[in-house]
Amino acid sequence: MSVRVGVVTFPGSLDDRDAARAVHIAGGQAVALWHGDDDLRNVDAVILPGGFSYGDYLRCGAIARFAPVMRTIIERASAGMPLLGICNGFQILCESQLLPGALTRNDSLHFICRDQRLRIENTSSAWTSGFINGQEIVIPLKNGEGGYLADERTLDALEAEGRVVARYLEVNPNGSRRDIAGITNERGNVVGLMPHPEHAVESLTGPSIDGIPFFTSVLKSLVSP
Amino acid sequence: MSIDTVAAAQVSPEQPQPFAELGLKPDEYQQIRDILHRRPTSSELAMYSVMWSEHCSYKSSKVHLRQFGEKVPKTDALLVGIGENAGVVDIGSGWAVTFKVESHNHPSYVEPYQGAATGIGGIVRDIMSMGARPLAVMDPLRFGPADAPDTGRVLPGIVAGIGGYGNCLGLPNIGGEIVFDSSYLGNPLVNALCVGAMKHEDIHLASAKGVGNLVVLYGARTGGDGIGGVSVLASETFSEGGPTKRPSVQVGDPFMEKLLIEATLEVLRAGLVEGIQDLGGAGISCATSELASNGEGGMHVWLDRVLLRDATLSPEEILMSESQERMCAIVRPDRLPEFMERCAKWDVEAVVIGEVNASGRLTVDWHGERIVDVPPRTVAHEGPVYERPFHRPPWQDALQADTTDHLERPVTGPELRETLLVMVAAPNLASKSWVTSQYDRYVQGNTVLAQPADAGMIRIDEATGLGVAIATDCNGRFAKLDPYAGAQLALAEAYRNVAASGATPLAVTNCLNFGSPEDPEVMWQFAEATRGLADGCLLLGTPVTGGNVSFYNQTGAIAILPTPVVGVLGVIADVATRTSMAWTGAGDRIYLLGDTNDEFGGSEWANHVHGHLGGLPPRVDLDRERALAEVLVAGSTSGSFVAAHDVSDGGVAQVLVEMALRAGTGATVMVPAALEPFVFMFAESTARAVVVVSPSAAGRLVDLCGQKGVPLVEIGVVSAAPELDFADLFCVSLDDLRREHERTLPELFG
């Protein structure tokens, strides 16, 4: 039986089908989850995809955090279920306080879409165990509010505990503190990532296939925990 | 607030009406009175005035646009032709594709962000109203001089609006154009193209069929925005004491549009819809009259049921409002509950506002009083048609006689090198990534090619790799020198771009941007351009499936360059066989296909280096274009090309620079013996492409070109060195080229 990975659709989610495709390419079974339904349909892991949930009204992710489906997701993630938030999903994870800090308007004040080089710096999380430590990858980045911000103490703690999952190389595209592109929680099951691994799973449509290990990592961790 | 009713109109024939303020001519007003055998009510007057406007009725262009329907090439691909919201083309395997380009020029000048944003919103709803899922957008844009202060106001706002709206819809932006010319200062052109796909059985049309079926308005609430700048409607004539001076530019809400897309696709796929129409220009007036006119011919509307953002709106304002993110569906009564349920799932408000009947009339009531009673065809389809006078401008001969022969040309190696560095930084040739990096090109995961590729390409069917490619093009300078040839050159370039990507060109859409049709010289440009495009499409076998006309793009007596933007759609059986523009391996051989002539009229070199516009545009040869496209598609499909790139603005030099910068490796370039180096590098002769093949595939390329009658010449070899070495002339590093090519837009716009 293949691993079931839920992909949540909020009103305004855009990359939900892409996340489902990535799960499928990695060998898992993608399960559509609806924001208004608190039933997680027996999934083993969940992805909060990119987009503009609820039109980014109020603040990115601020309304989605209160969706019925998030109640169950927060509960399960607190108990160890792997949970990946990509872009808007990362914003929702910060709003839900599953991850520290916040994502703010890009320092350029422009939306930016580019092929971004990253260095993977944590290979023990549920979503990054398939990488080699220090591995450099190129995946798309596309956001208007992707500047990672936290107070110095939190940033120091993230660094000290090895919870910076990925860092921007060559260009810091959005003014993120300490070039942070993604982080994880203490337990390593919840990961927030600003760039989009689900858009780098086919050489035909992506700049690379460097995004695949994020999805194979979680499938592997669930089969042989 | 007193309401003008049909009954009141019958007994007050002499009441003065503000038809002139609403843009109607006295004879047009009389025509309405003749149709109704009485004076129109104020609501009827509102409906006729917006529906008979140039924008909605095509009254000045209709007689010329007819050619697109008359000169139709033999093709089985056309499933739905001109006249519907958008044309539909068969791409095989049961798939159909619909695409269309439309203008949003004037609103974008007044309010760049919202104007451009709602331009995207409108074209996306057009595509949806055919039953298709929107898949991608592109934006052909024209601005005044890049360094003009007003361009600094308009361009960043328009780009942010396109990004801000399009990025929220989850539609990749896969291409378009950005062109600068002083004629567009005060008249920027913001054209928006959308492409969508559906299975054949899902094609829907805008018609109100089935007596007893219900008219459902769903989406955003109706507000006072976008009431055509017709402030007279908010004056005491219609609603004493009501709010005055409505904003005439619509305000977009992309989140609402995204929900509208998902809700619409759900109700279409569930078979809950008999007919469907988007609400764009002329709002409810347009949707109800067109649906009724295309269907049983009768419809009754309870206008007071329309959900409003502003309860003080008068019925005239409700009829004319161009509030965004609204759609109108014809639904069978027994399917209404499910329709409403699916809308509710997506938090989309819906309300039944009317019913289809067999009366042959469109009737509208406001709180029990009849305010409209008209034959719908007279509103939607039988508006005035004008044969506007036109004549060749007296200055046209002098313009064509002022050739580029006297312009000083670079000759020596250092001069050519200097010219090349100046050209790659010219605003029209410089890298556009400052703009395109603000658009999401990845969403949906089906983008195979996007800017700066020759054409945008998306995968439609993940199982088979079936996909489509689209390019839009137009050189307005060519069209000014010769509008007939200019339109064909726009067609030829878009056609060639699609073929260079490996797709077979199939169909055409257009957005004809011109000055005032009341100026006989502008009208001549329009007449010539449409004739040229229709003749060209017939010759290339690519039918026009639809399009849009935008007139009155002028400030005072100065019209914009005639700008017939042409979009060509091509099909590719498997997107994995596409050809990109980046060469790869050192040692691969570079060929130039087609003939290069000393042609500089309207070229970017004459424009940028000398500020000169005169002479004749490059010669059009559509037979050769067709043969070249056959070579490009065959070579791509069989996998024998490493890279290919169409030759157009800036000539071969620009092509080589773009291919090298994309690849990150250079080349040694040999100037063909028969050509002056300057002509080889910068001439803009048409029907040409640069193709790169491995040494082992060179023979096949030569054979293929021989079979199709396309001349070719070897012009270089890909090298491992980071430089372009124009043997015996000069050498330039890719670093220098990249720096010059990429600095222009960021320096101007931050």
Side-chain angles (χ1 to χ4, degrees):
Chain A
M1 256 214 17
S2 61
V3 176
R4 290 167 65 85
V5 180
V7 178
V8 180
T9 299
F10 297 97
S13 289
L14 304 178
D15 300 308
D16 42 350
R17 291 190 298 163
D18 306 84
R21 183 192 291 115
V23 167
H24 176 74
I25 286 174
Q29 187 188 351
V31 178
L33 300 178
W34 183 245
H35 70 103
D37 192 349
D38 60 9
D39 177 11
L40 295 194
R41 302 177 62 194
N42 295 318
V43 297
D44 308 298
V46 167
I47 297 173
L48 305 179
F52 296 73
S53 58
Y54 300 93
D56 276 354
Y57 292 144
L58 192 57
R59 265 193 327 274
C60 303
I63 301 177
R65 174 248 178 284
F66 292 101
V69 75
M70 285 305 295
R71 269 202 307 272
T72 328
I73 289 175
I74 292 170
E75 212 178 276
R76 293 272 315 271
S78 305
M81 179 191 73
L83 174 61
L84 172 66
I86 304 168
C87 195
N88 188 225
F90 188 8
Q91 293 162 340
I92 297 169
L93 292 179
C94 289
E95 287 288 337
S96 307
Q97 299 184 356
L98 286 170
L99 293 174
L103 283 314
T104 57
R105 185 94 189 264
N106 294 351
D107 56 355
S108 67
L109 304 183
H110 295 302
F111 183 96
I112 179 130
C113 177
R114 70 190 306 273
D115 300 338
Q116 178 71 45
R117 182 169 292 276
L118 305 174
R119 185 172 55 235
I120 302 294
E121 298 194 357
N122 170 321
T123 53
S124 56
S125 87
W127 301 90
T128 54
S129 57
F131 288 101
I132 301 160
N133 208 359
Q135 189 174 340
E136 293 189 8
I137 63 172
V138 175
I139 63 177
L141 170 118
K142 49 188 190 105
N143 63 66
E145 307 198 15
Y148 183 72
L149 189 68
D151 59 54
E152 288 300 314
R153 216 171 52 186
T154 306
L155 292 170
D156 289 341
L158 286 172
E159 305 262 16
E161 294 164 23
R163 287 164 55 196
V164 174
V165 163
R167 228 184 279 266
Y168 298 120
L169 293 183
E170 294 171 3
V171 173
N172 180 334
N174 46 30
S176 285
R177 296 300 153 87
R178 306 192 191 179
D179 301 332
I180 289 175
I183 56 171
T184 182
N185 62 350
E186 290 89 344
R187 195 168 176 164
N189 64 312
V190 179
V191 168
L193 200 60
M194 193 38 65
H196 289 258
E198 80 282 20
H199 289 309
V201 294
E202 292 181 276
S203 55
L204 193 62
T205 55
S208 69
I209 53 169
D210 293 348
I212 294 179
F214 285 95
F215 306 96
T216 49
S217 293
V218 75
L219 300 182
K220 218 164 155 189
S221 76
L222 286 164
V223 172
S224 50
Chain B
M1 190 161 76
S2 74
I3 296 301
D4 189 22
T5 62
V6 171
Q10 265 151 353
V11 298
S12 58
E14 302 310 323
Q15 182 177 310
Q17 294 192 284
F19 65 87
E21 291 87 336
L22 288 166
L24 289 166
K25 301 276 191 291
D27 56 325
E28 291 174 341
Y29 176 64
Q30 188 54 46
Q31 203 180 331
I32 297 167
R33 294 187 69 120
D34 293 345
I35 289 167
L36 300 175
H37 306 293
R38 59 172 164 79
R39 75 161 174 87
T41 65
S42 55
S43 293
E44 290 166 342
L45 187 65
M47 289 182 81
Y48 278 105
S49 71
V50 287
M51 289 302 289
W52 286 12
S53 68
E54 187 64 60
H55 180 76
C56 292
S57 74
Y58 294 85
K59 56 189 171 190
S60 300
S61 54
K62 235 178 200 168
V63 294
H64 300 282
L65 299 179
R66 258 177 219 146
Q67 296 170 87
F68 297 140
E70 290 159 4
K71 299 176 185 171
V72 188
K74 264 196 183 328
T75 170
D76 300 327
L78 203 56
L79 297 174
V80 176
I82 294 178
E84 292 296 334
N85 283 307
V88 181
V89 182
D90 180 12
I91 59 163
S93 313
W95 283 98
V97 163
T98 178
F99 73 126
K100 189 180 178 186
V101 58
E102 217 168 54
S103 65
H104 232 227
N105 303 340
H106 299 104
S108 302
Y109 178 65
V110 177
E111 213 301 291
Y113 187 99
Q114 292 298 343
T118 55
I120 298 262
I123 194 68
V124 167
R125 288 192 299 279
D126 262 333
I127 293 307
M128 272 200 291
S129 66
M130 299 308 297
R133 172 177 271 278
L135 293 178
V137 295
M138 311 175 85
D139 293 271
L141 306 174
R142 303 288 186 285
F143 299 101
D147 55 358
D150 199 48
T151 303
R153 170 187 75 93
V154 171
L155 184 144
I158 285 172
V159 170
I162 290 168
Y165 200 95
N167 294 343
C168 290
L169 296 185
L171 297 178
N173 194 309
I174 58 171
E177 309 156 80
I178 297 150
V179 179
F180 301 95
D181 184 90
S182 60
S183 74
Y184 303 116
L185 187 66
N187 293 283
L189 302 185
V190 177
N191 295 174
L193 180 148
C194 183
V195 57
M198 71 207 113
K199 301 297 275 188
H200 284 190
E201 59 272 22
D202 290 326
I203 296 173
H204 278 71
L205 300 177
S207 73
K209 294 219 172 74
V211 170
N213 284 341
L214 304 169
V215 183
V216 185
L217 183 65
Y218 67 106
R221 290 188 166 217
T222 299
D225 56 327
I227 299 181
V230 197
S231 55
V232 63
L233 276 179
S235 75
E236 51 281 306
T237 318
F238 288 141
S239 57
E240 248 167 87
T244 55
K245 292 277 180 191
R246 303 288 187 190
S248 62
V249 176
Q250 310 88 323
V251 177
D253 176 357
F255 177 55
M256 187 67 233
E257 180 100 343
K258 169 66 178 167
L259 300 182
L260 195 63
I261 293 173
E262 299 301 334
T264 300
L265 291 169
E266 268 208 40
V267 296
L268 287 170
R269 297 294 172 265
L272 304 175
V273 171
E274 308 301 309
I276 188 160
Q277 169 75 301
D278 62 302
L279 273 76
I284 294 176
S285 296
C286 179
T288 54
S289 63
E290 286 194 353
L291 281 164
S293 183
N294 291 337
E296 305 287 348
M299 181 183 290
H300 181 70
V301 174
W302 297 279
L303 196 62
D304 46 273
R305 293 191 185 177
V306 173
L307 299 171
L308 300 177
R309 265 180 237 166
D310 172 358
T312 68
L313 289 180
S314 69
E316 296 87 352
E317 288 173 316
I318 297 167
L319 284 168
M320 293 177 82
S321 165
E322 296 186 359
S323 286
Q324 299 291 292
E325 293 97 23
R326 297 179 299 163
M327 298 279 290
C328 201
I330 305 297
V331 182
R332 266 175 34 189
D334 60 311
R335 289 174 177 159
L336 184 69
E338 196 183 343
F339 182 97
M340 302 304 264
E341 215 172 275
R342 301 218 181 218
C343 285
K345 173 187 163 189
W346 288 101
D347 296 322
V348 169
E349 288 188 310
V351 65
V352 174
I353 62 161
E355 193 178 81
V356 179
N357 59 37
S359 67
R361 312 282 294 182
L362 172 62
T363 51
V364 178
D365 283 3
W366 178 254
H367 294 292
E369 293 198 88
R370 180 71 32 108
I371 56 169
V372 171
D373 184 349
V374 297
R377 282 201 68 80
T378 64
V379 180
H381 293 115
E382 292 166 0
V385 175
Y386 292 133
E387 300 252 6
R388 300 261 190 211
F390 58 85
H391 62 74
R392 192 169 194 268
W395 44 260
Q396 196 76 32
D397 285 338
L399 182 70
Q400 292 185 347
D402 176 23
T403 69
T404 55
D405 292 349
H406 67 285
L407 302 177
E408 195 184 335
R409 300 177 166 193
V411 179
T412 66
E415 284 169 0
L416 289 163
R417 182 179 185 279
E418 178 58 27
T419 304
L420 179 61
L421 287 169
V422 166
M423 289 288 284
V424 297
N428 286 341
L429 299 180
S431 165
K432 301 301 186 298
S433 69
W434 185 87
V435 170
T436 52
S437 68
Q438 296 186 48
Y439 304 153
D440 182 348
R441 63 182 176 274
Y442 282 113
V443 66
Q444 293 200 7
N446 286 314
T447 305
V448 177
L449 294 173
Q451 272 277 29
D454 279 334
M457 184 181 287
I458 49 169
R459 178 173 59 186
I460 303 266
D461 186 342
E462 288 188 40
T464 63
L466 178 68
V468 294
I470 304 181
T472 70
D473 285 293
C474 179
N475 183 332
R477 296 188 307 272
F478 291 165
K480 172 115 184 209
L481 298 178
D482 182 344
Y484 181 91
Q488 294 197 336
L489 288 165
L491 168 68
E493 188 182 344
Y495 179 91
R496 199 184 319 128
N497 273 322
V498 165
S501 74
T504 304
L506 206 59
V508 166
T509 183
N510 59 70
C511 192
L512 307 173
N513 305 276
F514 288 79
S516 168
E518 293 164 46
D519 177 341
E521 295 174 7
V522 170
M523 205 56 213
W524 176 79
Q525 293 176 330
F526 180 78
E528 284 294 287
T530 38
R531 192 169 65 84
L533 184 56
D535 289 350
C537 287
L538 186 62
L539 238 154
L540 289 179
T542 49
V544 174
T545 62
N548 175 243
V549 178
S550 174
F551 279 133
Y552 298 102
N553 294 291
Q554 65 180 69
T555 306
I558 310 295
I560 58 162
L561 292 177
T563 313
V565 171
V566 178
V568 171
L569 177 133
V571 63
I572 180 166
D574 182 358
V575 291
T577 68
R578 90 273 180 227
T579 298
S580 91
M581 67 154 88
W583 57 48
T584 46
D588 285 350
R589 293 159 77 171
I590 308 169
Y591 287 86
L592 173 60
L593 278 56
D595 285 321
T596 303
N597 300 307
D598 190 333
E599 294 178 298
F600 287 93
S603 69
E604 190 55 42
W605 172 77
N607 176 54
H608 184 64
V609 175
H610 293 282
H612 178 272
L613 176 57
L616 288 172
R619 199 172 61 85
V620 181
D621 185 345
L622 296 178
D623 289 325
R624 175 62 67 75
E625 295 285 359
R626 202 170 176 149
L628 176 68
E630 285 170 7
V631 169
L632 292 171
V633 173
S636 185
T637 310
S638 65
S640 41
F641 290 178
V642 170
H645 195 351
D646 134 86
V647 181
S648 53
D649 311 69
V652 169
Q654 176 74 11
V655 166
L656 294 173
V657 169
E658 287 177 1
M659 294 179 92
L661 291 182
R662 196 71 197 272
T665 58
T668 305
V669 182
M670 290 101 69
V671 178
L675 287 173
E676 180 190 334
F678 164 74
V679 172
F680 165 71
M681 287 175 68
F682 299 111
E684 296 187 11
S685 300
T686 64
R688 293 186 303 160
V690 168
V691 170
V692 180
V693 292
S694 66
S696 63
R700 260 179 292 161
L701 175 64
V702 172
D703 289 348
L704 186 58
C705 286
Q707 283 163 25
K708 303 288 183 188
V710 174
L712 84 168
V713 56
E714 188 173 353
I715 58 166
V717 180
V718 177
S719 71
E723 61 191 22
L724 281 182
D725 183 1
F726 284 75
D728 304 333
L729 287 168
F730 67 90
C731 185
V732 57
S733 74
L734 295 193
D735 282 346
D736 285 348
L737 288 168
R738 192 181 300 279
R739 190 189 60 245
E740 292 307 303
H741 188 54
E742 294 182 353
R743 73 184 169 83
T744 308
L745 264 55
E747 281 178 9
L748 285 164
F749 304 109

